[in-house]
Structure formats: structure tokens, C-alpha cells
Amino acid sequence: MAYTYDDQNIFAKILRKEIPNDTVLETEHSLAFRDIRPQAPLHVLVIPKGPYVTFDHFAQEASEAEIVDYVRAVGEVCRREGVAEDGWRLISNAGRDGVQEVPHLHVHVLAGRGLGRMLERG
Ligand code: 5GP
């Protein structure tokens, strides 16, 4: 699968600082910020700064430095936000069936209440 990155997507605009965001953590290769429509008491999005559409795209084309930075940034968000102990959920939607709204790789870090079962039908 070949990926084409659309640099007009909303997270590209956030990275270029054309749109404000509520930053939780910024590292050399990653940015974490609060979701504008939170679905849990803690709802943070973690994105790589590079132009990757999905997790698969990132896994194929990102450098090891970017991948290490990104994975560590997710863990750091959980520790900083104090949810590592009580628990949290990591979701990354990709493509049509994954119902991905923004075509720039992001993981959702959700926490702060019992999150129920992983998937609802429908
Ligand atoms: P997806 O469905 O692509 O996995 O999730 C995209 C997420 O981006 C949604 O949870 C949505 O609320 C969030 N989002 C969309 N636009 C903005 C924005 O301008 N700022 C922030 N902080 N989050 C956004």
C-alpha cells in the first residue's frame, strides 16, 4: 500500500502552528495535545512530527529515532498525566474501516474512567 500525505490536514496545520493546540508534551519528533472533543476525562492525541498517514505508513518509513521517540512519548504522556497506575487505552484509527477522520498518524490516549469493553457493534 502506497500512502500519499495531505499536508492540508488539521494536524499538519497544528504542527505548523497555523491552528492552536493544548500541548501536553513536545519532543524532538513527536507532539502530544488534548483532543478538542474529549471522549474521556483524559483524551490526548500523540502524533509524530513527520508526514505519516497511518501507523503502518510510520512503521514502514519512519527512522528508528522517530519510532523510539514516538513510543517513548506515549509512555511519558501516561506517566505525566498520572494514569499509568489506574489504566488507560491506546487507539489508532486507520483508513476507511478504522474510521480515521484526520489523515496524519495519531494515537488516542484515553483514561480517567472505566472505559468499558473495547468495541461496540455498529
Ligand atoms: P480519528 O477519528 O481520526 O482517529 O480522530 C481524530 C481526532 O481528532 C478526533 O478525536 C477529533 O476530536 C480530533 N480533532 C479534530 N480536529 C481537531 C483540532 O483542531 N484540534 C484538536 N485538538 N483535536 C482535533
Side-chain angles (χ1 to χ4, degrees):
M1 155 107 199
Y3 293 97
T4 305
Y5 183 78
D6 171 13
D7 68 5
Q8 293 308 306
N9 79 76
I10 202 98
F11 295 168
K13 291 179 181 175
I14 284 176
L15 285 167
R16 290 194 297 266
K17 301 192 188 311
E18 293 166 15
I19 293 176
N21 76 92
D22 186 356
T23 299
V24 171
L25 174 71
E26 181 165 8
T27 65
E28 184 179 1
H29 295 296
S30 309
L31 180 69
F33 52 95
R34 296 188 197 283
D35 197 291
I36 206 166
R37 295 190 298 270
Q39 296 186 39
L42 180 75
H43 188 168
V44 172
L45 302 168
V46 190
I47 67 174
K49 291 181 176 175
Y52 305 106
V53 180
T54 66
F55 201 98
D56 172 50
H57 189 200
F58 185 65
Q60 286 187 62
E61 294 190 13
S63 67
E64 292 191 7
E66 290 175 294
I67 292 170
V68 169
D69 179 296
Y70 188 59
V71 173
R72 290 203 194 287
V74 173
E76 178 73 22
V77 165
C78 293
R79 286 191 301 279
R80 279 194 191 195
E81 294 295 315
V83 300
E85 194 163 328
D86 285 347
W88 50 289
R89 183 170 291 159
L90 190 63
I91 294 174
S92 188
N93 299 317
R96 183 198 62 196
D97 286 357
V99 195
Q100 180 178 11
E101 180 191 333
V102 181
H104 183 114
L105 168 60
H106 50 285
V107 293
H108 299 253
V109 175
L110 298 154
R113 62 170 169 82
L115 295 166
R117 295 184 65 85
M118 189 166 68
L119 291 178
E120 302 291 338
R121 289 189 68 81

